[in-house]
Amino acid sequence: MMSRSYTNLLDLASGNFPVMGRDRDRRRMSRVMTVPGSICELDDDQAVSVSSDNQSSLAGDRMIVVLNLLPLKAKRRPDNKGWSFSWNEDSLLLRIKDGLPEDMEVLFVGSLSVDVDPIEQDDVSSYLLDKFRCVPTFLPPNILEKYYEGFCKRHLWPLFHYMLPFSPDHGGRFDRSMWEAYVSANKIFSQKVVEVLNPEDDYVWIHDYHLMVLPTFLRRRFNRLRIGFFLHSPFPSSELYRTLPVREEILKALLCSDLVGFHTFDYARHFLSCCSRMLGLEYQSKRGYIGLEYYGRTVGIKIMPVGIHMGHIESMKKIADKELKCKELKQQFEGKTVLLGVDDLDIFKGINLKLLAMEHMLKQHPKWQGQAVLVQIANPMRGKGIDLEEIQAEIQESCKRINKQFGKPGYEPIVYIDRSVSSSECMAYYSVAECVVVTAVRDGMNLTPYEYIVCRQGVSGAETDSGVEGPDKSMIVVSEFIGCSPSLSGAIRINPWNVEATAEAMNEAVSMAEQEKQLRHEKHYRYVSTHDVAYWSRSFLQDMERTCADHFRKRCYGIGLGFGFRVVSLDPNFRKLSVDDIVNAYIKSKSRAIFLDYDGTVMPQNSIIKSPSANVISILNKISGDPNNTVFIVSGRGRESLTNWFSPCRKLGLAAEHGYFLSQEMVCLFKNDVHGLGWEQEQEWEVCSQTSDFGWMHLAEPVMQSYTDATDGSCIEKKESAIVWQYRDADSGFGFSQAKEMLDHLESVLANEPVAVKSGQFIVEVKPQANTGVFDEKYDRFNHTTCISLGFLDTTIVLISTLRGVTKGLVAEKVFTSLVEKGKRADFVLCIGDDRSDEDMFEIIGDALSRNIISYDTKVFACTVGQKPSKAKYYLDDTSEVVLMLDSLADATDTPVTSDDEPEDSD
């Protein structure tokens, strides 16, 4: 169920915050267009934005990089008349263009780090676009404060670093006005993107958690726009993320992207788990690529840690050498072993844990007293941090205590630098450090180790009088909770919360043999130098191109309001079933074959009551009562359930367990009884198999029962032809693990039995491997037909198993063949289903004309439920539309019968 959080983006169209309640409802847009190939634009956008029909003056493929802050430095001119701008060389995202094709232009869209007076904004915008290819976004002060310092820094940033708002003093409670400001800010960013956008040719690459709902605004306007998103912070596990009141809105907004990128597999796995648990989406891995199927679109998942810019690091190192900073530091720490920490000052960097580890190392290894020095650089935090004063006080107290206990004249074990340090000075510290220590308790990437490795490699062409020989060895102690940790296989990984283990790791790092230090360094340097920021951006662009390859081949529809908006991408020949068209064809036809799935087609999957309603019974009874109609319910359910539910519909054919059992109605049809289709008072079923030995069930059931006892939410469904273990209501992760284990167990136990053990979506099923001798000699061609049976309708599951002889498709083929023999070749075919098992029927119907078992002018309506890829050419949105369509056919039926009609007599 949709949460009560803000979901209607259109309320922000006027720039006003929405009011929860009746006033907000009055302002909702009256309509949403769903025309193929275009999406309606927001009414307010048309006055301030460029529509998709207006081509940008900048032709050709371009990359539009959208980020919170532009990679620019800005300062007021000395005469206070205007601004002076320059590139921020320390900005990593400035280097994105290094990995892109030379002829691809790069534009940056983002805000400035300074406040520009409104009367100057137009001039600044024109200047920056002309000189820097940058488009500044100016946020109103009332929105900026709540957007950045509010929702970004007080809600998203702590949560994504695994901090829950347990109290107002620690993280803060959810403030809806901050969320509304966040949405408004993203809306303003989208308007700036649209101003320079050429939607047919441009790529849009959005960065970080500040702009997570921006893809929705862009996708709403341009459904074929190529959009990528990269998250530079961690993504929390589903247990933490689901505490966010607007959790589904953000997930759905991200899924409006074509490609979503993360630094590590852990972050991507958490995102996929959230999509599974909260949206019911499952990912697929194909040829090394991970993708989420979302309304016909494949949203790619990219796992690629960002790298550094080698040229910038080396140039900063040269500057440090030229300014003799390396020489000064070497003299300052002569005879000492330097350990270095470089961190922003915030609660997640674990600075005090590092100090405690240093203290413990000095206690446990006295040889380092007077010898080892920990230099800790604490860069000022970029925003208003949580509990910042408390952190500073704690760090300063630890420094004072350790220096008092272990210090002596000329020696302080802790050198704490709590000021901004220039890039060149930081490189100098890297050059003299024997080891870098990173003890962050949670961090997105943290490129400090990468920068350190490059500085320790030495730089060709550096000044030789710096007094520093080109170092070629390095040691790294790194927290296992940061994004760069998996890439540094030669580092010593630690749990920063374990102070004693961290201390031992620091001792091991500085005590290690020089040769091993060099080997580890060489391994790291090979990786860092080849996986730089250019490699990262080039790889991301290549995956965007691959993911967006089908954009202009498919038809697209925009549906939904607010963050429920999504683009449905469908095959050009796939369209919604028109009730008027099917009724007209129905009336004109004389021999009709109708096949209906049950669960998910005429009965909602999530319905607690599984039996058909009186209305459905009445409709089916009326349609099946027409002598020109041959109507079948083709279901995965057992014959007992179908018999009990549909006994009032005495002229309705039934196929149970995907056609393994056929009702007497089916038998009468295939025996070509001269009395037609009569419903016997005693229900009779034909078993479509010669297999009668089901002794293997006694072997399979105890195995399944043991897993059921150990897996809360799982259950066993025992059918006559199969036995199924399903875990839809169990924890998805644990259930999947148990299913994988069970599959191996059952295959071992049943190795010598004539059965197939298959896993599917939320199930493991065991059923006969070979079904032979289905019909008499006349139908011998069916005996050895290899079919694919997909689906288990009882729980909306997907099963893939190869069987011989029995599928839903074979039921349809038998009906067509029987009608041909009776001289009543079908000239109207309707087949409706909702899952993969019904694809067999769609496939048979598609081949029926070429095999001459239906008329050349037969009107065929193969229809799936829900807008999704299918072999069917039509779709209806849900079961309610199916029932309404069937009701229309019932109204057009000439000779209805009631449930009181008696079956025809048979001689």
Side-chain angles (χ1 to χ4, degrees):
M1 183 179 69
M2 183 71 68
S3 62
R4 192 178 176 275
S5 53
Y6 176 68
T7 57
N8 190 353
L9 282 76
L10 303 179
D11 289 337
L12 290 178
S14 63
N16 298 320
F17 289 146
V19 178
M20 298 298 160
R22 296 179 180 176
D23 292 338
R24 182 185 69 176
D25 294 335
R26 294 193 189 105
R27 293 198 299 271
R28 287 183 177 170
M29 193 177 72
S30 59
R31 62 183 176 86
V32 173
M33 295 174 62
T34 57
V35 178
S38 65
I39 301 178
C40 68
E41 301 192 11
L42 305 181
D43 293 340
D44 69 311
D45 286 342
Q46 300 189 20
V48 297
S49 302
V50 181
S51 71
S52 61
D53 294 331
N54 298 331
Q55 298 295 314
S56 168
S57 60
L58 303 172
D61 284 357
R62 298 180 307 171
M63 177 67 75
I64 299 178
V65 179
V66 192
L67 60 169
N68 180 52
L69 283 177
L70 290 171
L72 294 172
K73 292 181 179 179
K75 61 180 181 180
R76 199 73 180 172
R77 290 176 180 169
D79 58 4
N80 204 33
K81 294 182 179 179
W83 294 87
S84 176
F85 296 93
S86 63
W87 289 115
N88 179 6
E89 298 294 337
D90 293 333
S91 174
L92 190 65
L93 295 183
L94 176 62
R95 311 295 177 175
I96 281 179
K97 54 189 176 183
D98 292 356
L100 304 181
E102 293 184 2
D103 58 348
M104 175 174 278
E105 184 181 9
V106 178
L107 273 74
F108 293 94
V109 177
S111 57
L112 292 169
S113 58
V114 295
D115 293 328
V116 178
D117 193 279
I119 62 175
E120 299 177 304
Q121 289 178 1
D122 288 343
D123 291 337
V124 168
S125 297
S126 299
Y127 176 79
L128 291 180
L129 180 60
D130 183 50
K131 299 296 183 181
F132 293 91
R133 313 311 292 157
C134 290
V135 181
T137 301
F138 302 105
L139 299 177
N142 62 322
I143 292 181
L144 177 61
E145 177 71 17
K146 290 186 175 183
Y147 152 70
Y148 184 73
E149 299 295 348
F151 193 74
C152 287
K153 289 300 181 181
R154 294 189 64 83
H155 290 308
L156 289 181
W157 185 75
L159 178 65
F160 281 22
H161 288 77
Y162 285 65
M163 179 178 178
L164 292 176
F166 289 114
S167 69
D169 296 331
H170 292 83
R173 302 300 189 199
F174 179 78
D175 187 335
R176 191 164 299 279
S177 66
M178 292 181 181
W179 162 244
E180 293 163 350
Y182 180 82
V183 175
S184 295
N186 277 248
K187 171 75 171 177
I188 295 172
F189 274 90
S190 73
Q191 292 170 347
K192 289 298 180 180
V193 172
V194 171
E195 287 179 4
V196 294
L197 181 66
N198 179 355
E200 301 297 320
D201 298 321
D202 292 346
Y203 293 86
V204 178
W205 190 357
I206 304 166
H207 290 269
D208 223 0
Y209 61 92
H210 313 88
L211 303 171
M212 294 179 80
V213 302
L214 176 57
T216 291
F217 287 106
L218 296 177
R219 186 65 69 196
R220 178 179 290 276
R221 294 181 61 101
F222 313 115
N223 56 340
R224 290 191 175 93
L225 181 63
R226 295 171 288 191
I227 304 174
F229 179 91
F230 196 92
L231 183 66
H232 293 267
S233 75
F235 195 93
S237 66
S238 61
E239 285 74 15
L240 276 79
Y241 179 79
R242 63 185 178 186
T243 64
L244 185 65
V246 289
R247 59 192 188 181
E248 292 181 2
E249 289 87 328
I250 290 178
L251 286 180
K252 291 177 180 178
L254 288 177
L255 291 175
C256 284
S257 305
D258 295 298
L259 185 66
V260 181
F262 301 91
H263 286 305
T264 71
F265 175 70
D266 277 347
Y267 304 160
R269 178 168 54 86
H270 293 160
F271 174 75
L272 294 171
S273 177
C274 289
C275 290
S276 173
R277 292 174 179 269
M278 297 168 205
L279 302 180
L281 303 176
E282 297 296 332
Y283 74 91
Q284 294 180 339
S285 181
K286 184 178 181 181
R287 296 183 179 179
Y289 298 104
I290 299 175
L292 280 168
E293 287 296 324
Y294 189 58
Y295 291 94
R297 296 172 50 244
T298 299
V299 180
I301 304 299
K302 177 71 172 176
I303 302 170
M304 175 62 69
V306 69
I308 60 174
H309 187 261
M310 296 288 293
H312 176 64
I313 300 299
E314 292 178 351
S315 64
M316 290 296 101
K317 177 64 169 56
K318 289 180 179 179
I319 293 174
D321 288 342
K322 194 170 185 178
E323 295 175 353
L324 302 180
K325 291 181 180 179
C326 295
K327 186 175 182 178
E328 293 174 4
L329 291 177
K330 183 176 178 62
Q331 293 173 350
Q332 178 183 346
F333 296 109
E334 186 174 5
K336 302 292 189 297
T337 299
V338 178
L339 296 92
L340 178 65
V342 181
D343 304 279
D344 291 338
L345 186 61
D346 68 55
I347 59 176
F348 300 113
K349 293 301 187 289
I351 295 176
N352 198 57
L353 292 174
K354 190 185 307 179
L355 299 177
L356 296 177
M358 181 67 179
E359 181 181 25
H360 190 80
M361 186 184 80
L362 294 175
K363 288 179 180 179
Q364 295 299 315
H365 303 279
K367 66 178 181 179
W368 294 115
Q369 297 179 15
Q371 176 70 24
V373 177
L374 173 62
V375 178
Q376 176 61 55
I377 299 174
N379 297 313
M381 195 171 181
R382 285 164 285 186
K384 297 178 182 178
I386 301 174
D387 302 327
L388 191 57
E389 294 181 358
E390 183 180 340
I391 296 168
Q392 289 176 320
E394 185 181 26
I395 292 173
Q396 290 171 357
E397 191 279 330
S398 294
C399 292
K400 183 178 180 181
R401 184 186 69 253
I402 297 171
N403 284 336
K404 182 178 180 180
Q405 181 177 358
F406 299 102
K408 55 186 178 182
Y411 170 72
E412 285 189 339
I414 305 295
V415 177
Y416 182 61
I417 304 174
D418 59 345
R419 60 174 174 81
S420 295
V421 175
S422 67
S423 296
S424 60
E425 184 179 358
C426 189
M427 300 304 126
Y429 275 104
Y430 285 145
S431 297
V432 300
E434 285 294 315
C435 175
V436 153
V437 184
V438 182
T439 55
V441 297
R442 191 68 61 178
D443 207 354
M445 186 59 191
N446 198 315
L447 295 174
T448 295
Y450 286 14
E451 296 172 350
Y452 168 65
I453 290 165
V454 175
C455 287
R456 293 291 290 181
Q457 177 69 14
V459 183
S460 59
E463 298 292 333
T464 57
D465 60 352
S466 64
V468 179
E469 297 180 359
D472 58 359
K473 63 183 185 297
S474 61
M475 279 306 300
I476 300 170
V477 175
V478 64
S479 166
E480 64 189 55
F481 302 121
I482 66 176
C484 68
S485 176
S487 305
L488 301 172
S489 57
I492 302 176
R493 299 189 181 98
I494 50 97
N495 173 6
W497 298 104
N498 189 336
V499 173
E500 294 80 6
T502 303
E504 290 303 316
M506 293 165 64
N507 173 65
E508 179 186 355
V510 294
S511 303
M512 191 173 292
E514 297 296 305
Q515 185 178 4
E516 185 170 354
K517 289 182 181 179
Q518 184 174 351
L519 291 175
R520 291 177 183 241
H521 168 80
E522 290 174 354
K523 183 177 184 179
H524 287 159
Y525 185 77
R526 282 196 301 270
Y527 176 83
V528 172
S529 60
T530 55
H531 292 73
D532 59 358
V533 65
Y535 177 88
W536 172 71
S537 62
R538 180 166 55 251
S539 178
F540 195 90
L541 175 61
Q542 289 171 350
D543 275 20
M544 280 189 70
E545 291 175 336
R546 177 184 53 80
T547 305
C548 302
D550 290 338
H551 269 26
F552 297 96
R553 185 183 66 82
K554 294 185 176 181
R555 288 190 310 143
C556 299
Y557 293 82
I559 61 174
L561 292 173
F563 288 105
F565 175 83
R566 64 272 189 197
V567 169
V568 179
S569 183
L570 304 172
D571 187 273
N573 296 322
F574 190 64
R575 58 189 183 274
K576 190 165 186 176
L577 182 62
S578 167
V579 175
D580 291 338
D581 289 346
I582 193 172
V583 169
N584 289 336
Y586 181 87
I587 293 173
K588 296 177 182 178
S589 58
K590 297 181 180 180
S591 178
R592 311 179 187 107
I594 300 174
F595 307 95
L596 304 173
D597 175 38
Y598 183 67
D599 293 274
T601 301
V602 296
M603 174 59 63
Q605 288 284 5
N606 57 358
S607 175
I608 297 177
I609 301 174
K610 298 299 183 182
S611 59
S613 65
N615 182 46
V616 169
I617 292 292
S618 175
I619 292 172
L620 293 177
N621 203 25
K622 193 173 183 179
I623 296 176
S624 61
D626 190 328
N628 294 323
N629 294 346
T630 302
V631 186
F632 279 89
I633 295 291
V634 187
S635 174
R637 288 191 174 272
R639 54 181 175 174
E640 181 178 356
S641 297
L642 296 181
T643 299
N644 293 335
W645 292 343
F646 294 103
S647 57
C649 303
R650 298 180 181 176
K651 292 184 178 288
L652 179 67
L654 300 176
E657 298 190 20
H658 299 123
Y660 191 90
F661 296 104
L662 300 178
S663 73
Q664 185 175 352
E665 186 72 9
M666 186 73 163
V667 172
C668 291
L669 175 64
F670 279 93
K671 289 180 179 178
N672 198 16
D673 196 314
V674 295
H675 297 288
L677 302 178
W679 194 277
E680 298 289 339
Q681 196 66 34
E682 291 185 4
Q683 186 69 48
E684 293 184 3
W685 291 85
E686 177 186 0
V687 179
C688 298
S689 174
Q690 292 181 348
T691 300
S692 59
D693 182 10
F694 291 93
W696 52 265
M697 282 195 179
H698 299 297
L699 299 175
E701 188 173 8
V703 175
M704 288 187 173
Q705 188 60 51
S706 65
Y707 285 89
T708 302
D709 295 339
T711 311
D712 187 38
S714 66
C715 65
I716 298 174
E717 180 172 0
K718 191 173 180 180
K719 296 185 175 184
E720 294 181 74
S721 65
I723 184 169
V724 181
W725 184 77
Q726 68 101 348
Y727 57 96
R728 173 167 291 278
D729 296 328
D731 177 87
S732 58
F734 181 57
F736 179 80
S737 175
Q738 291 287 80
K740 187 176 180 181
E741 177 74 19
M742 180 193 290
L743 185 69
D744 293 337
H745 194 166
L746 286 171
E747 286 179 342
S748 176
V749 170
L750 303 172
N752 297 321
E753 301 294 332
V755 296
V757 183
K758 300 294 181 180
S759 63
Q761 190 175 10
F762 302 116
I763 68 153
V764 174
E765 182 171 37
V766 184
K767 63 190 307 180
Q769 189 175 36
N771 294 324
T772 59
V774 181
F775 307 114
D776 59 26
E777 187 175 353
K778 180 183 295 184
Y779 301 105
D780 186 63
R781 63 181 177 277
F782 299 120
N783 289 351
H784 304 291
T785 302
T786 300
C787 303
I788 302 296
S789 177
L790 301 165
F792 177 67
L793 307 181
D794 212 23
T795 50
T796 338
I797 6 191
V798 177
L799 171 68
I800 303 178
S801 108
T802 301
L803 299 175
R804 296 165 61 187
V806 176
T807 67
K808 285 188 175 183
L810 188 57
V811 175
E813 188 166 4
K814 287 193 63 179
V815 169
F816 293 147
T817 306
S818 177
L819 289 174
V820 169
E821 292 183 348
K822 295 172 60 177
K824 298 176 60 177
R825 192 187 306 267
D827 58 0
F828 174 94
V829 177
L830 170 63
C831 180
I832 311 178
D834 75 305
D835 70 8
R836 293 188 181 178
S837 66
D838 303 301
E839 297 295 315
D840 287 334
M841 291 194 290
F842 300 150
E843 184 176 11
I844 289 295
I845 291 171
D847 296 338
L849 180 59
S850 61
R851 297 173 58 184
N852 199 32
I853 55 176
I854 61 175
S855 176
Y856 72 92
D857 58 349
T858 298
K859 299 297 183 182
V860 177
F861 299 91
C863 178
T864 188
V865 181
Q867 301 182 41
K868 56 182 180 288
S870 172
K871 294 175 183 176
K873 292 186 177 181
Y874 299 93
Y875 73 88
L876 290 171
D877 287 324
D878 50 37
T879 57
S880 62
E881 288 195 354
V882 174
V883 174
L884 287 174
M885 184 273 297
L886 292 175
D887 192 30
S888 298
L889 296 186
D891 290 341
T893 300
D894 295 329
T895 56
V897 298
T898 66
S899 59
D900 296 330
D901 289 346
E902 295 297 328
E904 297 181 21
D905 294 333
S906 58
D907 294 331

